């Protein structure tokens, strides 16, 4: 409407100028024409701006509704739904169970935790000791017993509770196993002690045998020398030349001294002649002789015994024998205890 009014005013103004002046020079017409387009342009521009402003206003209004009213309500509803879902999820995560009434007096077969609910998902609120008696009031569908604990309902895994008969049987079995283990340990300890004692006794016997052998060896050396000295004295008294002690013959005589413990005879335990011991030891000879004796304690005693026996004295005083070996063996557990041997060769 405003645009029409402006156009009418503009035409009226142009018409009045033409009527008053008649003719107008080109420059004035141009001047007027410059003014009119400017005003028209201004009005159009204003109109355009005003229209544009309305459009922008409408656009802003639509945009405000779109950004503030609609999204705000949708966002709020979505948030509400999300919160509702979270609450439902939180509620659904809590374990569900049912309990049936069950009355029993049971015993803890070992230390066990007590919880607020019938599974390990629930908080631990205490515990039972082995052998502790507890009153069961129900059984949950999870297999846990409901009990009265410190005046409150609580739960224990059923596998940890036994009736009195089963508990007593378990205790008896444990005691029997412990007794068997103790007896086995005692037996093992006794066997170990016996083995150690036997080893100690064996070591003592070996030590005694070693000491006896050492003593015998020393005695043999001493006794051999003493016997040879006494023989030469007897030979000198008889006007016969001396006799020499021979180490190889000592070995043969020592072998025979141990053999006559088994068989006090000039026959060896295998039934052969005593002189085969010379052949066995590789000792050569033309003639040979042997004297044996048992039960004498010293060289003087055995020499006295031999010299009082015709056959033994003959060997000692035989001038054809120039070599002699002496054997001596002592064992208190044998019939005679001491054994003596003289082996002669030419």
């Amino acid at each position: 409407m405003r645009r029409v009014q402006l156009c009418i005013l503009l035409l009226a103004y142009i018409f009045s100028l033409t009527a008053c002046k008649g003719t107008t020079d080109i420059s004035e017409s141009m001047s007027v024409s410059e003014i009119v387009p400017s005003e028209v342009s201004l009005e159009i521009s204003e109109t355009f701006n005003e229209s544009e402003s309305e459009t922008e206003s409408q656009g802003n209004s639509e945009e405000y509704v779109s950004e503030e009213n609609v999204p705000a309500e949708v966002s709020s509803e979505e948030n509400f739904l999300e919160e509702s879902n979270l609450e439902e999820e939180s509620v659904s995560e809590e374990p569900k169970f049912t309990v049936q009434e069950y009355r029993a007096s049971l015993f803890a077969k070992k230390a066990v935790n007590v919880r607020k609910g019938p599974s390990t998902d629930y908080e631990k609120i205490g515990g039972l000791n082995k052998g502790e008696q507890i009153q069961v009031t129900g059984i949950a569908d999870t297999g846990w017993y409901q009990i009265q604990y410190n005046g409150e309902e609580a739960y224990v895994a059923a596998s940890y509770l036994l009736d009195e008969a089963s508990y007593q049987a378990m205790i008896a079995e444990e005691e029997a196993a412990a007794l068997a283990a103790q007896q086995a340990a005692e037996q093992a300890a006794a066997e170990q002690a016996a083995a150690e004692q036997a080893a100690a006794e064996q070591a003592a016997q070996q030590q005694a045998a070693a000491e006896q052998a050492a003593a015998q060896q020393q005695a043999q050396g001493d006794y051999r020398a003493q016997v040879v000295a006494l023989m030469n004295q007897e030979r000198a008294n008889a006007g016969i030349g001396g006799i020499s002690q021979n180490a190889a013959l000592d070995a043969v005589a020592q072998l025979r001294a141990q053999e006559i413990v088994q068989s006090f005879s000039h026959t060896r335990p295998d039934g052969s002649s005593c002189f085969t011991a010379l052949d066995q030891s590789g000792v050569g000879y033309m003639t040979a002789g042997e004297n044996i004796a048992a039960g004498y304690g010293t060289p003087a005693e055995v020499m006295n015994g031999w010299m009082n026996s015709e056959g033994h004295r003959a060997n000692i005083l035989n001038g054809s024998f120039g070599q002699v070996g002496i054997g001596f063996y002592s064992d208190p557990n044998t019939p005679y205890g001491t054994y003596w041997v003289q082996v002669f060769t030419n």
Side-chain angles (χ1 to χ4, degrees):
M1 186 66 179
R2 184 182 177 185
R3 188 181 304 172
V4 174
Q5 292 175 349
L6 290 174
C7 290
I8 294 172
L9 292 173
L10 179 60
L11 290 174
Y13 178 69
I14 294 172
F15 180 75
S16 63
L17 290 176
T18 304
C20 292
K21 293 184 178 181
T23 59
T24 307
D25 56 19
I26 295 173
S27 62
E28 288 178 350
S29 298
M30 288 180 65
S31 177
V32 170
S33 65
E34 286 177 359
I35 295 172
V36 173
S38 176
E39 289 178 352
V40 172
S41 174
L42 178 61
E43 290 298 325
I44 292 172
S45 176
E46 287 177 355
T47 303
F48 176 76
N49 289 340
E50 188 175 349
S51 174
E52 229 177 30
S53 177
E54 289 177 0
T55 304
E56 287 179 1
S57 176
Q58 290 176 358
N60 289 339
S61 175
E62 291 176 358
E63 188 175 359
Y64 171 79
V65 170
S66 174
E67 289 181 357
E68 294 186 7
N69 295 335
V70 176
E73 291 177 0
V74 172
S75 176
S76 176
E77 184 177 357
E78 287 178 352
N79 288 339
F80 174 74
L81 291 175
E82 287 178 0
E83 289 175 0
S84 299
N85 291 337
L86 288 175
E87 288 178 1
E88 290 177 2
E89 289 177 2
S90 176
V91 171
S92 63
E93 287 178 359
E94 183 179 347
K96 300 293 184 181
F97 62 90
T98 59
V99 177
Q100 292 182 354
E101 184 177 357
Y102 178 80
R103 301 288 176 175
S105 180
L106 303 180
F107 296 80
K109 70 177 183 180
K110 61 174 68 176
V112 59
N113 292 328
V114 175
R115 297 182 179 273
K116 284 186 175 182
S119 75
T120 55
D121 296 330
Y122 290 88
E123 178 185 356
K124 182 177 71 173
I125 59 174
L128 302 178
N129 297 320
K130 180 180 179 180
E132 186 172 348
Q133 187 175 9
I134 196 74
Q135 296 300 318
V136 174
T137 58
I139 183 168
D141 55 3
T142 60
W144 285 47
Y145 284 129
Q146 182 186 73
I147 65 172
Q148 286 297 315
Y149 184 78
N150 294 335
E152 298 180 359
E153 289 185 351
Y155 296 84
V156 176
S159 59
Y160 285 84
L161 298 183
L162 298 174
D163 59 39
E164 185 174 5
S166 299
Y167 179 75
Q168 294 301 331
M170 183 193 74
I171 294 301
E173 184 178 350
E174 290 178 350
E175 290 176 350
L179 180 59
Q182 181 181 357
Q183 292 175 344
E186 291 174 353
Q187 182 178 355
E191 291 176 355
Q192 180 67 21
E196 291 176 356
Q197 183 177 357
E201 291 176 355
Q202 184 178 5
Q205 291 175 356
Q206 291 176 348
Q207 180 66 22
E211 292 175 356
Q212 183 179 359
Q216 274 194 353
Q217 187 173 5
Q218 184 177 0
Q220 287 169 2
D222 294 343
Y223 285 180
R224 285 167 181 157
Q226 291 179 40
V227 169
V228 172
L230 291 171
M231 286 177 63
N232 282 327
Q233 184 178 347
E234 295 290 343
R235 287 166 73 96
N237 292 337
I240 302 171
I243 194 169
S244 301
Q245 184 179 355
N246 183 286
L249 293 177
D250 282 344
V252 174
Q254 188 62 36
L255 173 62
R256 289 292 297 135
Q258 294 176 353
E259 288 183 349
I260 63 175
V261 174
Q262 303 176 50
S263 175
F264 189 74
S265 168
H266 293 295
T267 301
R268 301 181 70 186
D270 63 359
S272 63
S273 168
C274 62
F275 299 114
T276 59
L278 292 169
D279 301 330
Q280 179 181 328
S281 299
V283 177
Y285 61 94
M286 293 293 292
T287 58
E290 180 183 77
N291 286 344
I292 62 175
Y296 295 96
T298 66
E301 291 176 356
V302 71
M303 276 299 295
N304 185 56
W306 279 331
M307 289 304 289
N308 289 320
S309 170
E310 183 178 356
H312 297 95
R313 184 174 66 252
N315 280 336
I316 292 172
L317 299 179
N318 188 340
S320 65
F321 292 145
Q323 305 286 328
V324 70
I326 309 299
F328 172 73
Y329 180 76
S330 174
D331 186 352
N333 298 317
T334 58
Y336 295 103
T338 57
Y339 301 84
W340 304 81
V341 174
Q342 289 175 322
V343 177
F344 304 90
T345 61
N346 58 348

